[in-house]
Amino acid sequence: PSNSSAASDVYKRQPESEAYIRSLGFKIVGTWTMPFVPVDIGSQFRSMIDAGANYCYGNLVVLQEQKLMKDVTRLGLKEKIQVIACPYGIMEDIIKVAGKDAEGLAGVHYAAFPNELDKPGVKWAHDITKKYKHAWTTDGILGCAIGRVMIMAIKRALETKGFPITGEDLYEAM
């Protein structure tokens, strides 16, 4: 068994991440947990605003993000708090599922767009995605990029540490 898990690795690095966020000039006023399948998150948003937050970064996927945006719209909170989505919350499908409620959602995006086949790696990701009959969206590009990074990390960890490898070995290999 490994002495390191992905979840514990994330929490070990949380102070480092928060220090970086603060170095950019942001003040962290708290952390709120949203249910995996949110029904109503109005109380969380009111609590964030009461704590002085004017930005909310959601590490959510599209279906969770659309519920969040619908509640922010329904409660008239868009003027009070800017919602920022992770790359998986700002996919093309957000417009399909949230409609006009998605207006104002900002996103952190770290991949090329599907129509940018001239960019390095995008044509490769396109061909892999089509080969396995997946939808050609930004999600496909992200998945291929993340998969490629994981394969490189596993190879490097095996070359430097040998089998078996741990989560910490993978982190160091990156």
Side-chain angles (χ1 to χ4, degrees):
S2 170
N3 60 0
S4 174
S5 72
S8 67
D9 283 351
V10 169
Y11 291 112
K12 280 194 278 186
R13 286 187 281 280
Q14 185 173 349
E16 180 183 324
S17 300
E18 289 179 358
Y20 176 72
I21 292 166
R22 286 186 182 93
S23 78
L24 297 174
F26 290 94
K27 177 183 174 188
I28 299 173
V29 297
T31 302
W32 284 261
T33 301
M34 305 287 178
F36 184 71
V37 182
V39 176
D40 182 336
I41 51 172
S43 62
Q44 286 97 328
F45 269 104
R46 287 187 184 96
S47 177
M48 286 179 217
I49 291 167
D50 289 348
N54 50 14
Y55 291 95
C56 168
Y57 175 77
N59 197 22
L60 308 168
V61 296
V62 166
L63 291 178
Q64 296 162 320
E65 198 72 59
Q66 66 92 20
K67 177 58 180 155
L68 187 141
M69 290 306 294
K70 286 180 180 287
D71 283 358
V72 168
T73 302
R74 178 178 53 84
L75 297 168
L77 300 176
K78 282 186 178 179
E79 298 298 319
K80 295 181 180 182
I81 194 161
Q82 170 66 58
V83 179
I84 304 168
C86 75
Y88 285 102
I90 197 77
M91 295 291 152
E92 296 90 338
D93 292 345
I94 190 71
I95 304 300
K96 292 177 192 168
V97 296
K100 288 194 178 272
D101 293 335
E103 289 180 13
L105 176 64
V108 176
H109 203 277
Y110 56 77
F113 291 100
N115 64 342
E116 298 180 302
L117 293 174
D118 59 321
K119 300 246 185 218
V122 177
K123 177 77 169 95
W124 171 82
H126 173 269
D127 294 347
I128 294 278
T129 303
K130 289 298 181 186
K131 178 180 177 179
Y132 293 102
K133 300 180 183 2
H134 291 283
W136 178 236
T137 63
T138 307
D139 188 36
I141 297 170
L142 290 172
C144 288
I146 291 166
R148 199 168 215 179
V149 168
M150 289 169 47
I151 289 168
M152 288 172 57
I154 291 168
K155 283 181 179 178
R156 286 180 185 168
L158 287 170
E159 288 168 2
T160 58
K161 300 289 184 171
F163 184 82
I165 56 176
T166 66
E168 190 65 30
D169 296 336
L170 288 175
Y171 178 74
E172 293 299 321
M174 294 225 223

